[in-house]
């Protein structure tokens, strides 16, 4: 093997999984066995991929490890952790059984996505490495366990055939999506990163799709398809979910709209460059506006009743506490304006490595999000969704080169990118935003861990920043021979994160007291 059997990342991931398994109640024993099988399958497959010399059909980000283990177990681990927390709430009679049952269905759907992609990767890897055979064995046992659990339990009252079909849909969609992602954006992500993105999108879309199907079916299948709307969902969650999924689906529609338009102008007018670009821009603006103003809000109102148009609901929510929420908006705009202008000039003229310059944005994220998380958590939820939507729109404009903004956005973003980004797709700003937002979004509903929403801000804003700075300047002992991560950097991240956690606990206590 060209890589060691254990490196720092694998050890940390396995310790994390062991911690989850140690906290499992007996009622979730099958889920723990499932997570263990997924971890073993992805562990041996990662070793096989990293040590293989045979060509791999999927073009991944150059210089990056495969990251299969981390990409495979992240979502199942998060959902299982949420299940453990929910089981405590259920024992205290603070949760309805339908909520746990629906979360259980999501766990098995996510597990199906993971082992389906692992199976696809194992057959894609053209080698007969022993690790691939072991991985296939664990995938087989995981699939058998998943089917047995779905046939013997009663998640949200679904018929066993419907449950198996639903889970099969997640697995097939994940395989198709990761193939599409890696072929459309080659060399933009490692396998683990693509794994995590595709599984998350499928799970997120599946949740909204189940709501939509249930509304369409109505009373005709109410005895079979119990109700995802029995699960309490806030208007903010539906708005974010509908907006993000609408923007993710929009490029598919845009592709066909532009193809029809290009065919029309080729048969009617001479293709002059200037009018061609102007026409593309007008079509983009009109179609995007129609999608965001008409189609997406109608989807939101269909799955959940709003008293008004979702756009006006957002305005009403913001102006319900105008002094606090508008002040936060002004505070954010000031920080963003000053930091972007400052670091844009530094990145063009300074010889400091980009990776260190970008860590300053992690510290800025702490300054921006911590006060809002303490004093206005619901508004921060909505703001994260709006920021994610803006990022998606800007990336669509950049990738599709929409005149006149496509080229300036590309030039501006290139000032903040490094070797981990490519011209095809830039994901660093998405990683930072989602890293801070997901712990907050996942802490909605029942949560008996007050510091859980701060996990992303602490780990990315402080821990990751200190790890890079300390590791870059003082790091000597590396976790692996091929990687750049150092033990000194990891130690600095742990110490600073723990210290910051204590500060957050103190500030949060003061806010609660006042």
């Amino acid at each position: 093997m060209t890589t060691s059997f254990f490196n720092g990342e694998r050890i940390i991931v396995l310790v994390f999984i062991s911690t989850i398994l140690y906290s499992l109640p007996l009622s979730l024993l099958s889920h723990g066995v499932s997570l263990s099988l997924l971890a073993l399958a992805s562990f041996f497959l990662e070793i096989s991929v990293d040590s293989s010399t045979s060509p791999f059909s999927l073009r991944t980000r150059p210089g990056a490890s495969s990251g299969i283990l981390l990409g495979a177990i992240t979502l199942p681990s998060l959902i299982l952790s949420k299940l453990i927390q929910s089981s405590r709430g259920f024992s205290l009679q603070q949760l309805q059984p339908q909520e746990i049952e629906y979360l259980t269905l999501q766990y098995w759907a996510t597990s199906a996505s993971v082992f389906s992609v692992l199976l696809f990767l194992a057959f894609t890897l053209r080698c007969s490495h022993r690790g691939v055979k072991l991985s296939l064995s664990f995938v087989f046992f995981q699939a058998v366990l998943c089917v047995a659990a779905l046939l013997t339990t009663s998640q949200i009252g679904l018929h066993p055939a419907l449950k198996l079909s639903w889970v099969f849909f997640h697995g097939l969609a994940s395989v198709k999506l990761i193939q599409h992602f890696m072929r459309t954006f080659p060399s933009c992500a490692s396998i683990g990163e693509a794994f995590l993105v595709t599984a998350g999108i499928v799970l997120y879309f599946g949740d909204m799709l189940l709501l939509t199907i249930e509304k369409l079916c109505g009373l005709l299948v109410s005895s079979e398809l119990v109700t995802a709307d029995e699960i309490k969902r806030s208007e903010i969650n539906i708005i974010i979910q509908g907006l993000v999924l609408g923007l993710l689906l929009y490029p598919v529609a845009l592709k066909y709209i532009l193809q029809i338009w290009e065919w029309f102008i080729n048969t009617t007018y001479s293709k002059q460059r200037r009018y061609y670009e102007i026409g593309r821009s007008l079509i983009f603006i009109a179609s995007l506006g129609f999608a965001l103003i008409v189609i997406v809000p109608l989807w939101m109102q269909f799955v959940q009743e709003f008293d008004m148009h979702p756009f006006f609901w957002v305005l009403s929510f913001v102006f319900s506490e105008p002094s606090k929420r508008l002040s936060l908006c002004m505070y954010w705009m000031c920080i963003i304006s000053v930091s972007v202008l400052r670091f844009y000039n530094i990145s063009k003229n300074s010889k400091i490595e980009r990776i260190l310059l970008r860590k300053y944005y992690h510290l800025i994220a702490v300054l921006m999000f911590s006060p809002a998380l303490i004093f206005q958590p619901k508004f921060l939820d909505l703001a994260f969704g709006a920021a994610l939507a803006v990022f998606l729109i800007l990336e669509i404009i950049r990738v599709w080169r929409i005149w006149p903004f496509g080229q300036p956005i590309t030039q501006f973003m290139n000032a903040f990118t490094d070797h981990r980004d490519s011209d095809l797709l830039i994901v660093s700003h998405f990683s930072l935003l989602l890293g801070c937002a997901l712990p907050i979004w996942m802490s909605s509903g029942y949560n008996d861990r007050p510091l859980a929403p701060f996990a992303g801000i602490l780990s990315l804003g402080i821990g990751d920043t200190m790890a890079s700075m300390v590791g870059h300047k003082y790091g000597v002992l590396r976790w692996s021979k091929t990687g750049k991560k150092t033990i000194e950097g990891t130690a600095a991240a742990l110490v600073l994160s723990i210290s910051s956690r204590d500060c957050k606990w103190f500030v949060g206590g003061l806010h609660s007291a006042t």
Side-chain angles (χ1 to χ4, degrees), residues 92-103:
L92 297 174
Q93 298 182 344
Q94 297 185 11
L95 282 176
Q96 297 298 320
Q98 292 88 349
E99 297 183 58
I100 296 181
E101 290 172 357
Y102 184 63
L103 197 57

Side-chain angles (χ1 to χ4, degrees), residues 316-335:
S316 175
F317 175 79
V318 172
F319 285 98
S320 61
E321 295 184 25
S323 59
K324 296 179 180 179
R325 292 169 181 170
L326 293 179
S327 298
L328 265 178
C329 291
M330 294 177 62
Y331 170 69
W332 289 337
M333 291 303 297
C334 290
I335 290 182

Side-chain angles (χ1 to χ4, degrees), residues 88 94 108 163 185-186 195 199 292 305 323 328 416 494 508 511:
R88 294 195 295 264
Q94 297 185 11
W108 291 117
K163 289 187 289 185
F185 303 105
F195 206 142
L292 295 183
E305 295 182 2
S323 59
L328 265 178
F416 303 98
L494 290 173
H511 175 246

Side-chain angles (χ1 to χ4, degrees), residues 21 24 28-38 107 142 145:
L21 297 178
L24 276 179
L28 298 176
L29 182 60
S30 61
H31 302 69
V33 175
S34 168
L35 182 63
S36 301
L37 291 172
L38 289 177
Y107 174 80
Q142 159 64 18
L145 179 61

Side-chain angles (χ1 to χ4, degrees), residues 296-313:
V296 171
L298 285 176
W299 190 14
M300 297 175 190
Q301 290 177 306
F302 181 73
V303 299
Q304 178 153 325
E305 295 182 2
F306 283 83
D307 296 333
M308 59 187 78
H309 190 284
F311 177 75
F312 293 111
W313 188 94

Side-chain angles (χ1 to χ4, degrees), residues 256-480:
Y256 292 106
I257 293 172
L258 289 178
Q259 285 178 350
I260 294 172
W261 179 75
E262 289 172 358
W263 174 84
F264 177 76
I265 63 171
N266 283 336
T267 57
T268 308
Y269 304 104
S270 61
K271 190 176 179 180
Q272 298 180 12
R273 185 70 181 175
R274 180 181 177 184
Y275 296 111
Y276 172 74
E277 294 294 343
I278 294 174
R280 284 179 88 244
S281 299
L282 293 176
I283 289 175
F284 169 79
I285 294 171
S287 59
L288 180 64
F290 183 75
L292 295 183
I293 297 174
V294 179
I295 297 177
V296 171
L298 285 176
W299 190 14
M300 297 175 190
Q301 290 177 306
F302 181 73
V303 299
Q304 178 153 325
E305 295 182 2
F306 283 83
D307 296 333
M308 59 187 78
H309 190 284
F311 177 75
F312 293 111
W313 188 94
V314 170
L315 291 179
S316 175
F317 175 79
V318 172
F319 285 98
S320 61
E321 295 184 25
S323 59
K324 296 179 180 179
R325 292 169 181 170
L326 293 179
S327 298
L328 265 178
C329 291
M330 294 177 62
Y331 170 69
W332 289 337
M333 291 303 297
C334 290
I335 290 182
I336 291 172
S337 301
V338 172
S339 60
V340 167
L341 291 175
R342 173 63 176 165
F343 292 123
Y344 182 70
N345 293 327
I346 292 177
S347 65
K348 291 194 301 182
N349 304 319
S350 175
K351 295 182 179 180
I352 301 175
E353 289 191 20
R354 294 279 178 87
I355 185 66
L356 295 180
L357 282 174
R358 296 193 332 184
K359 298 305 176 183
Y360 288 113
Y361 280 96
H362 291 207
L363 293 175
I364 290 170
V366 178
L367 293 176
M368 289 180 61
F369 303 143
S370 295
L373 182 54
I374 294 172
F375 299 105
Q376 285 288 323
K378 290 184 178 180
F379 181 61
L380 182 60
D381 284 353
L382 187 62
F384 274 135
L388 182 57
V390 171
F391 284 176
L392 286 171
I393 293 172
L394 291 177
E395 191 64 10
I396 292 171
I397 293 173
R398 193 191 67 82
V399 171
W400 286 80
R401 299 177 182 178
I402 302 297
W403 180 87
F405 304 109
Q407 189 62 28
I409 291 175
T410 300
Q411 293 175 350
F412 178 80
M413 294 298 296
N414 285 339
F416 303 98
T417 59
D418 57 19
H419 64 281
R420 297 181 300 178
D421 291 303
S422 71
D423 292 334
L424 288 176
L425 193 66
I426 298 176
V427 297
S428 297
H429 50 308
F430 289 102
S431 301
L432 176 59
L433 180 68
L434 290 174
C436 293
L438 285 176
I440 299 172
W441 289 341
M442 293 193 67
S443 298
S444 60
Y446 177 77
N447 177 35
D448 58 357
R449 296 293 185 267
L451 289 180
F454 290 94
I457 296 174
L458 291 178
S459 60
L460 283 175
I462 296 178
D464 185 58
T465 302
M466 291 301 106
S468 292
M469 291 183 174
V470 173
H472 178 77
K473 190 170 184 178
Y474 303 105
V476 176
L477 303 174
R478 301 191 182 276
W479 281 108
S480 64

